[in-house]
Amino acid sequence: MASAATFSLMTRILCLALCLISLGCSAFTPQDYSDALEKSILFFEGQRSGKLPSNQRLNWRGNSGLSDGSSYHVDLVGGYYDAGDNVKFGLPMAFTTTLLAWSVIEFGSSMANQIDNAKAAVRWSTDYLLKAATSTPGTLYVQVADPNMDHRCWERPEDMDTPRNVYKVSTQNPGSDVAAETAAALAAASIVFKDSDPSYSGKLLHTAMKVFDFADKYRGSYSDSLGSMVCPFYCSYSGYQDELLWGASWIHRASQNSSYLSYIKSNGHTLGADDDDYSFSWDDKRAGTKVLLSKSFLETNTEEFQIYKAHSDNYICSLIPGTSSFQAQYTPGGLLYKASESNLQYVTSTTLLLLTYAKYLSSNRGAVTCGSTAVTAETLIAQAKKQVDYILGDNPAKMSYMVGFGEKYPQHVHHRGSSLPSLHEHPDRISCNDGFQYFHSGSPNPNVLVGAIVGGPDSKDNFADDRNNYQQSEPATYINAPFVGALAFFSANTNPK
């Protein structure tokens, strides 16, 4: 019996070794990626504000924020809560929408039966952004709720009684950053709905152009206009120039209107076209803009866009170990590491750029130039796959950082609605301070926020599954949004090299 057991063990080791040296080896199957894709989109239902539809699937959530904007005589019901609190922050919501739309634009054909859910997730946001952009002339409503007051309470969104103050940018108090990002979101979404709902698509694009004109004409940072209501939460540290170029690029992509092409050519150099930047986030759009505009150079060889291809290459080369300009930091387990707080937002946004750029390169037989080395699209895909697989559980901790995916995932997520008993279980109101008993509880969250990707592990691959550790345990819409595209790609590409 012992010899048979030894033979069996040897066979398994040999099979594992063969798998490890095989280019096709994967920790996950196409079905795993499809499952993760479905869950990554489902997460957005847990972040919904407003009156929930009859087909709401995360049914531990209820209606909330039904009077948002009413004291200001404007309808601001709807949209998304950004993360684990009950505030509707305009800048990250718009960025979330842009990246969710970009995921659908590039990889929607791989989403199979999830495409309608993905579009619904985009539309939940754009319906709100349209109201925020069109309710009052010369004004963009950019936030609902006082974050300082909201963060003093641990309340279900269905119960909240903290001030639902409304914040706006206007011709007198500009916010070019949040306005141009809103324009980008509406323009990108107009592409998503161009075939399925042309009328809605046209409305999105028309509004995007108007909001962009407002952003460009009345220049200034919303951080300066709104101060402590947006800082330090979503301060525009990078300024507003990157959003202006990003917004113009998306409207150009959506409309093919030559005036936006002229704008990009005339203003690119003053809005960051010459800058190399090595992260892509709700604050800094430069790397994303380079990749987006490189498509035009790769497809049409438009000379003015060659600079964007060159800077896209610089960005990509910085991520690829072994190239002359490699500078990214990775954990011992192989995870891209940018920041101690909510690091996975940078990982998921990077994977979307890697896969999108790989798609543009493959479609046009291009390659990345890293000094004297040519890096292929396949290398970019392999790099993205390592990051995706790490998040899903192929990591030293064997922990999935997507809630509800895999056998082991975070149980103590920093999220009010998930950590408090649902209305079904506890119909009576739970007040501001009474909620903290659940915050401090060692018990797992009673409501599973399926699909949520949390902030993630530290630079040594360590993760504290602790509700109080928001840096690692808080989910956010802008972590999930780009991951939707990455999961769609791998669900349909069964053996990417």
Side-chain angles (χ1 to χ4, degrees), residues 178 248 358 447-448:
V178 66
N447 309 307
V448 181

Side-chain angles (χ1 to χ4, degrees), residues 220-417:
S221 171
Y222 94 137
S223 302
D224 295 332
S225 294
L226 295 173
S228 64
M229 289 303 105
V230 297
C231 295
F233 314 101
Y234 292 103
C235 231
S236 183
Y237 298 105
S238 69
Y240 59 80
Q241 289 85 358
D242 56 311
E243 276 88 8
L244 286 174
L245 191 57
W246 172 244
S249 301
W250 271 113
I251 298 175
H252 172 249
R253 171 89 174 257
S255 68
Q256 295 301 307
N257 185 318
S258 61
S259 65
Y260 293 93
L261 181 62
S262 299
Y263 180 94
I264 294 165
K265 290 177 180 177
S266 301
N267 296 279
H269 295 290
T270 59
L271 298 179
D274 303 314
D275 303 339
D276 271 323
D277 193 68
Y278 299 104
S279 68
F280 178 46
S281 70
W282 56 262
D283 177 40
D284 195 337
K285 316 300 155 55
R286 286 174 289 186
T289 305
K290 306 292 170 45
V291 170
L292 183 64
L293 291 177
S294 69
K295 184 175 189 282
S296 295
F297 175 73
L298 287 163
E299 288 180 350
T300 63
N301 219 26
T302 308
E303 190 177 339
E304 291 89 348
F305 285 155
Q306 183 173 7
I307 186 174
Y308 299 104
K309 164 70 167 67
H311 284 289
S312 293
D313 284 2
N314 292 346
Y315 168 72
I316 296 298
C317 295
S318 76
L319 299 167
I320 307 298
T323 65
S324 57
S325 50
F326 170 65
Q327 59 170 270
Q329 180 183 348
Y330 289 90
T331 67
L335 181 71
L336 178 67
Y337 189 79
K338 286 281 185 183
S340 59
E341 184 174 327
S342 191
N343 179 62
L344 288 186
Q345 67 175 300
Y346 303 103
V347 180
T348 59
S349 66
T350 298
T351 60
L352 181 64
L353 292 188
L354 281 166
L355 293 171
T356 299
Y357 200 47
K359 178 185 173 184
Y360 296 167
L361 292 169
S362 296
S363 300
N364 300 282
R365 285 180 253 173
V368 179
T369 304
C370 300
S372 58
T373 308
V375 175
T376 64
E378 287 74 22
T379 301
L380 274 58
I381 292 168
Q383 193 67 12
K385 189 173 186 297
K386 287 177 186 175
Q387 302 307 303
V388 170
D389 288 356
Y390 185 109
I391 290 172
L392 295 180
D394 188 12
N395 56 59
K398 303 303 176 193
M399 162 79 84
S400 162
Y401 293 105
M402 176 185 282
V403 175
F405 180 86
E407 294 180 7
K408 180 184 177 186
Y409 54 81
Q411 302 289 322
H412 305 86
V413 180
H414 182 98
H415 188 276
R416 285 159 175 76

Side-chain angles (χ1 to χ4, degrees), residues 59-319:
N59 56 17
W60 51 264
R61 279 295 323 279
N63 299 334
S64 62
L66 297 181
S67 59
D68 280 358
S70 61
S71 57
Y72 296 78
H73 308 292
V74 60
D75 174 10
L76 294 174
V77 176
Y80 289 119
Y81 303 117
D82 69 304
D85 57 22
N86 300 324
V87 184
K88 295 192 298 203
F89 290 101
L91 183 57
M93 195 195 307
F95 180 65
T96 292
T97 310
T98 310
L99 291 203
L100 199 50
W102 202 2
S103 290
V104 174
I105 291 164
E106 302 296 351
F107 305 110
S109 61
S110 300
M111 289 182 183
N113 63 350
Q114 291 306 309
I115 186 64
D116 288 341
N117 289 327
K119 286 183 174 182
V122 174
R123 190 162 188 152
W124 193 268
S125 190
T126 52
D127 281 352
Y128 171 83
L129 293 176
L130 280 172
K131 292 192 284 189
T134 61
S135 294
T136 307
T139 299
L140 174 68
Y141 294 97
V142 299
Q143 189 168 309
V144 179
D146 178 335
N148 299 289
M149 297 296 286
D150 180 90
H151 290 178
R152 290 176 192 168
C153 295
W154 197 259
E155 286 182 309
R156 299 179 294 202
E158 296 83 3
D159 283 338
M160 61 185 167
D161 54 359
T162 47
R164 302 299 287 173
N165 297 357
V166 170
Y167 303 94
K168 64 185 180 182
V169 294
S170 63
T171 55
Q172 290 81 26
N173 294 289
S176 300
D177 28 35
V178 66
E181 183 60 63
T182 301
L186 295 171
S190 77
I191 303 172
V192 170
F193 295 103
K194 190 170 186 179
D195 294 329
S196 58
D197 193 339
S199 174
Y200 187 64
S201 173
K203 185 177 182 181
L204 291 170
L205 184 55
H206 174 71
T207 307
M209 291 174 172
K210 289 183 70 173
V211 177
F212 181 80
D213 288 347
F214 165 75
D216 189 41
K217 186 175 181 181
Y218 303 99
R219 293 194 179 191
S221 171
Y222 94 137
S223 302
D224 295 332
S225 294
L226 295 173
S228 64
M229 289 303 105
V230 297
C231 295
F233 314 101
Y234 292 103
C235 231
S236 183
Y237 298 105
S238 69
Y240 59 80
Q241 289 85 358
D242 56 311
E243 276 88 8
L244 286 174
L245 191 57
W246 172 244
S249 301
W250 271 113
I251 298 175
H252 172 249
R253 171 89 174 257
S255 68
Q256 295 301 307
N257 185 318
S258 61
S259 65
Y260 293 93
L261 181 62
S262 299
Y263 180 94
I264 294 165
K265 290 177 180 177
S266 301
N267 296 279
H269 295 290
T270 59
L271 298 179
D274 303 314
D275 303 339
D276 271 323
D277 193 68
Y278 299 104
S279 68
F280 178 46
S281 70
W282 56 262
D283 177 40
D284 195 337
K285 316 300 155 55
R286 286 174 289 186
T289 305
K290 306 292 170 45
V291 170
L292 183 64
L293 291 177
S294 69
K295 184 175 189 282
S296 295
F297 175 73
L298 287 163
E299 288 180 350
T300 63
N301 219 26
T302 308
E303 190 177 339
E304 291 89 348
F305 285 155
Q306 183 173 7
I307 186 174
Y308 299 104
K309 164 70 167 67
H311 284 289
S312 293
D313 284 2
N314 292 346
Y315 168 72
I316 296 298
C317 295
S318 76
L319 299 167

Side-chain angles (χ1 to χ4, degrees), residues 42-59:
L42 181 59
F43 158 73
F44 288 94
E45 293 192 12
Q47 299 304 111
R48 283 172 169 172
S49 180
K51 182 170 173 47
L52 301 183
S54 58
N55 62 355
Q56 170 82 9
R57 293 172 294 169
L58 284 187
N59 56 17

